[in-house]
Amino acid sequence: MQSWFTFELNGAECRVDGVATNKTLAQFLADRGTWPEGPCFAPTDSWAGGDLVLLATIDAVGRPKYRAVDATLLFLPMMAGQDIWTWEAFCLMDPGHTVVRAMRAASLECGPRAEARLGLLLVEGYYRQDLRWMGQLREQLDGIVTRTANWRAIERVARQIFAKAERMRHEAEQIAQASGVGKLIQQGRLDVFDDIFSRHLVAYYPEDDEDLSYVDESKRRFYRPKTLVELLQLKNQYPDAEVIAGGTGMGQTAGKSEWETLISTEDVEELRVIRKEPNHWEIGAAVTLTSVGETVGRDVGPLGKLLSRFASRAVRNRATLGGNLAIAATYGQIAPLLIALDARVHLTSLEGERDAPMAMFFDRGGKSILRPGEVIRSISVPRFTESILEKRGSQSRLCDAYMVTLRRSLCEPLMTGAFAVELAADGTVKKAWIAYSGVSDRPLRARKAEKELVGRKWNEKAIMQVLPSVNQEIKIEDDRGNDDYRRQLVITLFQKFYFQHPKVADDVAVELGAASEFAHPEQPFFDALALGDKSVL
Ligand SMILES: Cc1cc2nc3c(=O)[nH]c(=O)nc-3n(C[C@H](O)[C@H](O)[C@H](O)COP(=O)(O)OP(=O)(O)OC[C@H]3O[C@@H](n4cnc5c(N)ncnc54)[C@H](O)[C@@H]3O)c2cc1C
């Protein structure tokens, strides 16, 4: 085993010798001393936004990307071989970086920490190739800006910055079309920005290092194997070892935790796959929620919508789907939707493989059916194309999830309801799914009500007829408070699902709720800023 490793910090090699495996990157940076005016990386609450750094990485479809991540949740050995930038690097760049110049010109009046948080999220957005719509702009910054009163000013700056990036990409694409290198732009391999960070990013290929086996001064171990077999063998060798994925769940107790052995899933090829099959999506357990949203979420609308409000961009950039399910948080908002999507979870150990429908994965007491030595390998999410539905004797499938929280994001959900119905051509319900989290010690499914819906016409009368069963089956059984309110929500979320979706006779969905009136998620944010307008920044 090795007692040291290196990573790149702001373009220079940084060596780590014997440092504790449970130390976070934020603690490490704080110990190194801070830049006088910069963020201090002192202990902070990740639920308040954390302290961010930018991580160069390769996305689910193989393109190099910068991802803003919370350094307070990153265990230091996770950084071995990684390429990290802090806000300081952008502020010191000469000539000034577009994002820094735009923020300074707008006098956003935020403290150094908030400025760094916002700045790095804007930098990530600036280099994002897919950022075009208002909904994406909000998704990029939500969780951080929903905590400030400065949203209007921030949104204006963000639109300027992202519009500039869009204009540069647009111009580069026009040139590329003529010279036949358009593919390089799509692959993120052509530098359209010409600054030190963009040059660095297009050249970024993570080194194909050996597996990491690191031991700290207290003999605590951190392994980062490359294959599933190695991971399972390590788990077998160290029965008390804890598997670690994105670390956003475990990182909250970093420093205080005393794990003797940590085994990271981050480099395990088999757990990082994301595959679109004719009948389903196969999502490796170690795929981040951002990657799930940007691939599966584009195809499976309700999943994309739900993930865009999960925690914050910086958390989603690390948090994995497998980690989320393994935690089995009673308020977890993804599980009910996966139930409504009829997803299955695949588990693996040295003894073999097994799988289970999503609803059967969770056990009493906030636990799951995972056995010692077993890990989540993947989650399969069915695709409901017209031909697949036809084979099932259905014509259409409605599915949605509703999350109730105190704030739009970066906030523990109070309750989530997810629903789906498959309808025959005459509007008869062929199959139904009604699931909730945040009500009990595990996600609950209203199976009796689902059965009662089958064979009925999908109309208001049917909804009213099954509500008593929903009420009876979905009991508030935890001690999180607001019981009366949550009892009401069980009913109203289901009704909302009915009223917000097209009826057999309708051509279009009925949109309810204030959000839809001003959200305009599909509106391009650069509309107001003509692409050719060079005066913008
Ligand atoms: C600020 C903040 C906001 C958050 N908001 C939410 C929220 O809104 N909703 C929510 O549900 N959660 C939330 N979380 C909790 C957490 O971020 C998520 O649940 C996340 O998806 C966990 O994934 P991870 O990859 O980071 O898991 P990790 O922290 O790496 O691991 C969590 C647990 O899962 C186990 N594990 C990981 N991968 C596997 C695997 N493949 N097989 C078996 N076991 C595995 C680990 O051993 C560990 O016990 C939040 C956390 C923070 C810090």
Side-chain angles (χ1 to χ4, degrees):
M1 291 197 83
Q2 63 193 81
S3 60
W4 63 274
F5 59 85
T6 61
F7 60 88
E8 291 275 307
L9 180 63
N10 294 337
E13 190 179 90
C14 185
R15 187 180 156 106
V16 176
D17 264 303
V19 177
T21 53
N22 63 2
K23 187 164 206 157
T24 65
L25 175 64
Q27 288 163 340
F28 177 78
L29 293 174
D31 292 350
R32 274 169 63 98
T34 57
W35 178 47
E37 295 165 51
C40 45
F41 290 106
T44 183
D45 182 3
S46 53
W47 286 89
D51 276 332
L52 309 192
V53 294
L54 216 59
L55 203 63
T57 175
I58 300 288
D59 77 2
V61 288
R63 288 173 309 204
K65 283 272 157 70
Y66 282 128
R67 300 289 199 203
V69 297
D70 185 352
T72 65
L73 299 170
L74 295 171
F75 290 71
L76 199 56
M78 287 175 158
M79 296 298 99
Q82 304 267 27
D83 185 18
I84 300 158
W85 298 87
T86 64
W87 179 234
E88 175 185 355
F90 292 87
C91 293
L92 296 179
M93 181 178 156
D94 186 22
H97 192 276
T98 299
V99 171
V100 180
R101 280 192 287 122
M103 285 177 72
R104 299 269 152 92
S107 305
L108 291 177
E109 292 174 15
C110 32
R113 254 185 160 153
E115 182 192 272
R117 244 175 240 153
L118 182 60
L120 289 175
L121 285 167
L122 289 171
V123 171
E124 182 192 348
Y126 181 67
Y127 294 116
R128 252 179 89 174
Q129 281 165 305
D130 63 326
L131 214 157
R132 286 188 169 76
W133 315 110
M134 283 307 288
Q136 291 174 302
L137 182 147
R138 296 202 180 95
E139 180 258 332
Q140 179 70 30
L141 303 176
D142 238 8
I144 303 300
V145 292
T146 46
R147 289 172 171 273
T148 81
N150 229 351
W151 168 234
R152 287 250 168 251
I154 293 172
E155 192 195 52
R156 209 166 30 245
V157 174
R159 285 168 68 138
Q160 284 181 348
I161 292 168
F162 299 154
K164 177 178 175 182
E166 180 60 23
R167 193 184 70 227
M168 291 170 84
R169 218 172 282 116
H170 179 71
E171 286 172 358
E173 265 163 13
Q174 282 180 332
I175 297 167
Q177 265 171 12
S179 56
V181 290
K183 208 159 180 200
L184 286 179
I185 294 193
Q186 285 153 25
Q187 291 167 347
R189 292 285 170 205
L190 194 82
D191 180 13
V192 301
F193 299 101
D194 196 26
D195 61 51
I196 56 166
F197 305 104
S198 58
R199 281 196 290 275
H200 191 87
L201 189 61
V202 294
Y204 178 71
Y205 285 100
E207 282 172 31
D208 199 14
D209 284 337
E210 300 283 293
D211 309 359
L212 178 75
S213 318
Y214 171 72
V215 60
D216 70 15
E217 281 171 346
S218 309
K219 304 279 177 258
R220 280 182 291 240
R221 294 168 289 260
F222 188 99
Y223 291 98
R224 200 171 61 193
K226 292 232 178 254
T227 66
L228 192 52
V229 169
E230 285 173 281
L231 182 141
L232 295 172
Q233 282 169 344
L234 282 165
K235 227 173 154 350
N236 200 40
Q237 186 180 348
Y238 302 106
D240 292 334
E242 193 74 7
V243 166
I244 183 162
T248 61
M250 294 166 72
Q252 293 179 74
T253 54
K256 291 172 233 136
S257 57
E258 287 300 329
W259 287 294
E260 283 298 314
T261 308
L262 288 169
I263 311 170
S264 166
T265 60
E266 195 163 353
D267 271 2
V268 176
E269 248 350 277
E270 297 93 324
L271 302 184
R272 289 162 53 103
V273 293
I274 188 156
R275 248 190 344 256
K276 188 179 185 178
E277 303 285 357
N279 293 342
H280 70 277
W281 279 93
E282 194 71 26
I283 309 168
V287 176
T288 64
L289 297 184
T290 297
S291 290
V292 176
E294 287 178 354
T295 47
V296 190
R298 301 248 159 98
D299 191 36
V300 183
L303 187 59
K305 178 184 111 173
L306 192 83
L307 290 180
S308 72
R309 282 186 57 197
F310 184 101
S312 67
R313 178 87 187 173
V315 172
R316 291 191 299 275
N317 279 342
R318 288 291 299 175
T320 65
L321 194 53
N324 183 268
L325 299 178
I327 285 184
T330 55
Y331 63 82
Q333 62 272 56
I334 304 179
L337 179 57
L338 290 177
I339 292 172
L341 289 168
D342 211 14
R344 294 185 80 83
V345 57
H346 303 269
L347 312 175
T348 186
S349 69
L350 285 179
E351 270 75 59
E353 304 229 337
R354 59 182 181 135
D355 69 328
M358 206 58 249
M360 308 296 284
F361 175 72
F362 300 99
D363 217 340
R364 291 228 73 112
K367 297 210 169 72
S368 74
I369 57 168
L370 271 171
R371 297 176 187 143
E374 199 170 42
V375 296
I376 303 176
R377 179 195 176 105
S378 65
I379 296 93
S380 53
V381 178
R383 299 180 59 226
F384 296 100
T385 58
E386 253 175 57
S387 61
I388 292 171
L389 283 173
E390 208 178 308
K391 279 188 207 140
R392 294 160 70 109
S394 301
Q395 193 193 45
S396 57
R397 188 177 206 272
L398 307 177
C399 178
D400 217 330
Y402 302 96
M403 180 168 76
V404 181
T405 55
L406 294 178
R407 252 187 317 272
R408 253 187 73 83
S409 51
L410 204 57
C411 177
E412 190 178 304
L414 192 61
M415 183 191 288
T416 304
F419 315 100
V421 280
E422 271 175 39
L423 303 175
D426 65 353
T428 308
V429 177
K430 302 280 295 180
K431 212 158 180 220
W433 291 259
I434 303 171
Y436 296 85
S437 64
V439 289
S440 173
D441 57 359
R442 65 194 193 289
L444 293 184
R445 200 172 157 182
R447 288 184 186 270
K448 187 163 165 256
E450 289 171 2
K451 278 204 191 105
E452 284 172 4
L453 267 178
V454 173
R456 292 178 198 261
K457 285 268 167 28
W458 179 239
N459 56 27
E460 201 173 344
K461 191 169 156 216
I463 298 288
M464 297 311 282
Q465 279 168 339
V466 303
L467 281 182
S469 293
V470 176
N471 213 3
Q472 197 186 37
E473 291 180 276
I474 309 298
K475 292 243 166 28
I476 307 296
E477 289 174 341
D478 61 22
D479 54 2
R480 295 165 74 223
N482 295 309
D483 289 14
D484 286 342
Y485 177 50
R486 286 191 290 157
R487 256 191 290 277
Q488 286 284 326
L489 282 177
V490 169
I491 299 300
T492 53
L493 292 185
F494 184 46
Q495 287 175 319
K496 186 171 177 175
F497 171 63
Y498 170 75
F499 283 111
Q500 269 203 333
H501 285 82
K503 311 297 165 301
V504 179
D506 296 340
D507 292 332
V508 285
V510 184
E511 292 255 356
L512 292 182
S516 60
E517 280 149 33
F518 60 82
H520 305 303
E522 300 295 315
Q523 179 190 314
F525 55 75
F526 48 82
D527 237 16
L529 308 158
L531 274 184
D533 180 3
K534 308 237 166 150
S535 65
V536 180
L537 293 181

